[in-house]
Amino acid sequence: MATVIIPTPLRKFANNAARVRVNASNISDVVNQLAVHYPELKKHLVDTSGRIAPFINIFVDNKDIRNLELEHTQVVEDAIVCIIPAIAGGSKPLNKNS
Amino acid sequence: MLYIELSVANRMIEDVKSDDQECCGFFFGYEIATNRTITRSMIVNNSTTQNKQTYFEISVEDYMNAERFAEAQNLRLLGVYHSHPNHPAIPSECDLEMAIPGFSYIIISVIDKKFVKIKSWQLNERLQFEEEEIEFKEEIEFILPSLN
């Protein structure tokens, strides 16, 4: 089973669990497994089209899934899946063209 | 309510007030029901590739370090602070867009490198920012909640 590490601010949507064990073969499976147990958590992980939300980073064994196969990234037995919120902001609106 | 140990608040303000770029960091402490108490802070690098005078970003590595620090110190990672140089301590559209529920967001307004205001915000259930009341304490005595 893979271990999913839940970031502190999202633990309240996962019964305060810091680590969750899931049976999953890829990241889509991981998200679906989490959604079964913690439906509120899913809302903060994926956008309305079901893709990983832009302000969420997911690392599998220290590798960013954006550099792998995104939701199709393979999750092997004993993999460590880290969910990491993007932390950013600013005093002006984002320049979406930059 | 957000309680902040005065020395920690002063440190956060000192960390950011002399810089005309946005500065950022994490804070730690403990949480009982809806009350949060900040006992430690940690300034980190603003890693944005945009204009640092108006944007900030914290790297994945710094975020992971903050989580590890909290676990090692038996504290809770309570939120993020950042400065608004020459802007009020009010979340921008950008702050709202990037905010996640569960964190407190402290904003420190600095005008001409002088501290003006510190405010804290949290997302509500409608994912809109609501101001959190702040109370400063000289020294915080941690009282364990009753088990009865």
Side-chain angles (χ1 to χ4, degrees), chain A residues 7-13 19 44 55 57 59 82 84-96 98, chain B residues 22 50 54-58 60 63-64 67 71 76-77 80 84 87 92 94-95 97-98 100-103:
Chain A
T8 302
L10 297 183
R11 285 176 197 165
K12 69 175 183 175
F13 305 111
R19 289 169 177 78
H44 303 290
F55 47 84
N57 302 297
F59 283 64
C82 271
I84 302 168
I87 307 291
S91 50
K92 285 195 172 172
L94 277 174
N95 179 359
K96 305 229 170 148
S98 64
Chain B
E22 292 208 9
Q50 299 198 56
T54 48
Y55 299 103
F56 82 95
E57 189 174 334
I58 294 177
V60 165
Y63 181 84
M64 292 304 293
E67 287 275 17
E71 196 166 345
R76 188 177 177 88
L77 175 57
V80 175
H84 275 183
H87 283 84
S92 67
C94 176
D95 290 329
E97 195 171 330
M98 296 305 294
I100 50 168
F103 262 170

Side-chain angles (χ1 to χ4, degrees), chain A residues 20-85:
Chain A
V20 176
R21 304 267 285 164
V22 295
N23 260 322
S25 60
N26 60 34
I27 291 298
S28 278
D29 278 351
V30 170
V31 172
N32 289 333
Q33 289 285 321
L34 291 174
V36 168
H37 297 288
Y38 314 112
E40 283 295 305
L41 181 62
K42 186 181 181 183
K43 288 196 290 191
H44 303 290
L45 298 180
V46 296
D47 62 19
T48 49
S49 64
R51 295 193 172 158
I52 303 299
F55 47 84
I56 291 291
N57 302 297
I58 297 184
F59 283 64
V60 177
D61 292 331
N62 295 320
K63 291 189 181 112
D64 190 340
I65 64 164
R66 291 192 180 92
N67 299 326
L68 299 171
E69 294 175 67
L70 296 170
E71 292 88 348
H72 305 295
T73 300
Q74 195 181 359
V75 174
V76 296
E77 184 82 18
D78 295 331
I80 304 291
V81 178
C82 271
I83 299 171
I84 302 168

Side-chain angles (χ1 to χ4, degrees), chain B:
Chain B
M1 176 69 84
L2 186 68
Y3 298 99
I4 311 180
E5 211 167 270
L6 199 53
S7 61
V8 179
N10 285 335
R11 177 171 294 171
M12 287 195 283
I13 291 165
E14 284 298 318
D15 284 344
V16 307
K17 79 172 188 187
S18 58
D19 204 324
D20 59 3
Q21 300 186 335
E22 292 208 9
C23 300
C24 48
F26 294 101
F27 48 85
F28 310 85
Y30 49 90
E31 182 174 46
I32 299 172
T34 58
N35 291 328
R36 289 178 163 181
T37 300
I38 299 174
T39 59
R40 295 288 292 270
S41 68
M42 174 195 287
I43 191 163
V44 297
N45 183 45
N46 177 356
S47 64
T48 187
T49 54
Q50 299 198 56
N51 182 353
K52 291 187 181 184
Q53 289 184 328
T54 48
Y55 299 103
F56 82 95
E57 189 174 334
I58 294 177
S59 69
V60 165
E61 291 75 20
D62 280 338
Y63 181 84
M64 292 304 293
N65 281 339
E67 287 275 17
R68 282 192 284 265
F69 175 83
E71 196 166 345
Q73 299 290 320
N74 201 23
L75 295 170
R76 188 177 177 88
L77 175 57
L78 294 173
V80 175
Y81 70 96
H82 75 282
S83 60
H84 275 183
N86 301 312
H87 283 84
I90 295 171
S92 67
E93 184 189 324
C94 176
D95 290 329
L96 178 63
E97 195 171 330
M98 296 305 294
I100 50 168
F103 262 170
S104 291
Y105 287 88
I106 288 179
I107 301 178
I108 302 169
S109 172
V110 177
I111 307 283
D112 294 331
K113 298 191 176 182
K114 289 195 177 86
F115 165 69
V116 174
K117 194 83 184 170
I118 181 168
K119 290 189 175 191
S120 185
W121 307 81
Q122 254 201 77
L123 289 182
N124 62 20
E125 287 180 355
R126 291 173 286 110
L127 300 180
Q128 298 298 309
F129 271 120
E130 270 181 19
E131 190 173 351
E132 273 184 300
E133 194 177 348
I134 295 178
E135 189 173 316
F136 301 100
K137 298 219 167 207
E138 283 287 347
E139 195 175 335
I140 291 172
E141 190 180 345
F142 180 33
I143 301 167
L144 284 168
S146 168
L147 295 175
N148 297 323

